[in-house]
């Protein structure tokens, strides 16, 4: 059949077979995570350095300009660092698709008697789980930045981090299914991820951007994810002078509520997943 699709009659026993296949793909991603201890440690160290080295340095600049203390900037930076901690694991999922396609393992997976979208969703869920686990290590140190250890705050931050991790995973996967060479994927992801991360206000306030870049940031789904996490920890209430922590995400002077922001992120994720699933179903 066209695109190597499996006839409906050949599929397994309904939903249970699909769930079992998704779980197996998810477990494979988790095994890769557990075995790659050095890679996990390096990515966590990179995030910690961003928070406590770059953050302290940039915080000194903000304090010197009268826009708040260095500790205020570290608190402002913290949600962005959570996203940065999740990003390497999400990119790895996209890279694994390209490598599996090159060495022939992906073709063996595609002949399984389940929907191909199930295999893709399993990968994305695995990437989301790994990325969330890495972010939770950083989240555990939030008390060092004077963020109170309240179950409600941490539960909501965990959910927001999981959604953001899924968004990044789906985005990397969408790009991967259109690319054949690992080197090409690395280049494309590098070119795309950097603007998405910086335009979202992970490192500095969107209010510091020129008008046209500030406008572009409103079309970046990560902008809404980061802003929702900052509002969860109460960073948006720390206003100093010209305000490094003013309300950055507004449309016509109106600021969307956090549930609306998360709905925007979820809608983007679903749309990208549909595109990736359609392309993945045509791979041979």
């Amino acid at each position: 059949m066209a695109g190597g699709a499996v006839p409906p009659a050949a599929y397994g026993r309904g939903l249970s077979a699909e769930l079992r296949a998704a779980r197996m793909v998810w477990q494979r991603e988790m095994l890769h995570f557990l075995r790659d201890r050095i890679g996990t440690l390096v990515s966590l160290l990179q995030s910690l350095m961003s928070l406590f080295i770059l953050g302290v340095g940039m915080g000194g600049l903000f304090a010197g300009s009268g826009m708040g203390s260095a500790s205020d900037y570290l608190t402002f930076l913290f949600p962005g660092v959570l996203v940065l901690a999740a990003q390497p694991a999400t990119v790895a999922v996209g890279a694994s698709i390209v490598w599996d396609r090159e060495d022939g393992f992906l073709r063996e997976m595609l002949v399984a008697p389940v929907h191909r979208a199930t295999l893709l969703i399993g990968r994305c869920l695995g990437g989301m789980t790994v990325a969330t686990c890495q972010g939770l290590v950083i989240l555990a140190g939030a008390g060092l930045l004077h963020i109170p250890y309240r179950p409600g705050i941490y539960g909501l931050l965990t959910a927001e981090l999981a959604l953001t991790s899924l968004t990044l995973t789906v985005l990397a996967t969408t790009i991967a299914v259109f690319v054949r060479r690992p080197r090409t994927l690395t280049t494309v992801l590098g070119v795309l991820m950097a603007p998405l991360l910086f335009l979202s206000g992970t490192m500095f306030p969107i209010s510091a951007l020129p008008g046209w870049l500030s406008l572009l940031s409103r079309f970046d789904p990560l902008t809404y994810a980061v802003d929702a996490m900052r509002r969860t920890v109460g960073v948006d209430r720390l206003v100093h002078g010209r305000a490094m922590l003013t309300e950055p995400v507004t449309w016509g002077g109106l600021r969307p509520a956090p549930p609306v922001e998360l709905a925007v992120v979820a809608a983007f994720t679903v749309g990208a997943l549909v595109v990736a699933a359609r392309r993945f179903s045509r791979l041979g």
Side-chain angles (χ1 to χ4, degrees):
M1 295 183 66
V6 180
Y11 285 111
R13 297 179 179 177
L15 181 60
S16 62
E18 301 292 332
L19 292 176
R20 186 165 55 252
R23 187 185 67 229
M24 292 179 65
V25 176
W26 176 86
Q27 288 176 339
R28 181 172 181 261
E29 296 298 326
M30 295 304 298
L31 285 174
H32 288 169
F33 167 61
L34 295 175
R35 292 173 179 172
D36 188 16
R37 298 176 182 176
I38 295 179
T40 302
L41 179 62
V42 169
S43 65
L44 290 175
L45 288 176
Q46 183 180 12
S47 301
L48 290 173
M49 287 190 294
S50 298
L51 181 61
F52 291 106
I53 297 179
L54 179 61
V56 170
M58 292 290 291
L61 293 177
F62 276 95
S65 63
M67 295 172 64
S69 66
S71 62
D72 286 342
Y73 178 73
L74 285 175
T75 308
F76 169 84
L77 182 63
F78 183 72
V81 172
L82 289 179
V83 177
L84 293 176
Q87 188 253 345
T90 62
V91 171
V93 174
S96 69
I97 291 177
V98 177
W99 282 110
D100 287 348
R101 188 177 185 183
E102 189 168 88
D103 62 21
F105 181 77
L106 183 61
R107 180 171 294 181
E108 296 178 9
M109 290 183 62
L110 293 178
V111 299
V114 294
H115 289 88
R116 292 184 174 185
T118 299
L119 304 176
L120 189 71
I121 292 172
R123 278 182 181 264
C124 290
L125 292 178
M128 178 200 73
T129 306
V130 171
T132 303
C133 289
Q134 292 187 345
L136 287 176
V137 175
I138 304 298
L139 184 60
L144 299 175
L145 304 179
H146 308 293
I147 297 174
Y149 285 109
R150 296 176 183 170
I153 291 178
Y154 281 76
L156 187 53
L157 277 176
T158 301
E160 292 167 344
L161 176 62
L163 176 59
T164 306
S165 299
L166 181 60
T167 302
L168 288 169
T169 304
V170 170
L171 181 60
T173 300
T174 303
I175 297 171
V177 296
F178 285 93
V179 174
R180 284 185 171 273
R181 298 181 181 276
R183 182 177 298 180
T184 304
L185 178 68
T186 302
T187 302
V188 174
L189 286 177
V191 170
L192 181 62
M193 286 293 185
L196 284 176
L197 290 170
F198 287 118
L199 284 176
S200 67
T202 53
M203 308 296 291
F204 45 77
I206 293 177
S207 58
L209 295 173
W212 66 277
L213 282 177
S214 180
L215 179 62
L216 284 179
S217 70
R218 282 147 176 81
F219 295 94
D220 182 353
L222 295 183
T223 299
Y224 301 94
V226 172
D227 188 59
M229 285 192 278
R230 286 202 172 114
R231 294 166 79 172
T232 298
V233 299
V235 174
D236 61 312
R237 294 192 292 270
L238 301 175
V239 181
H240 298 274
R242 181 170 172 264
M244 66 176 178
L245 305 173
T246 49
E247 300 176 355
V249 186
T250 58
W251 285 96
L254 299 176
R255 189 182 194 187
V260 176
E261 292 182 312
L262 297 176
V264 170
V265 178
F268 173 85
T269 304
V270 172
L273 183 60
V274 169
V275 173
R278 288 182 175 179
R279 173 63 180 177
F280 192 71
S281 67
R282 299 190 184 102
L283 295 181

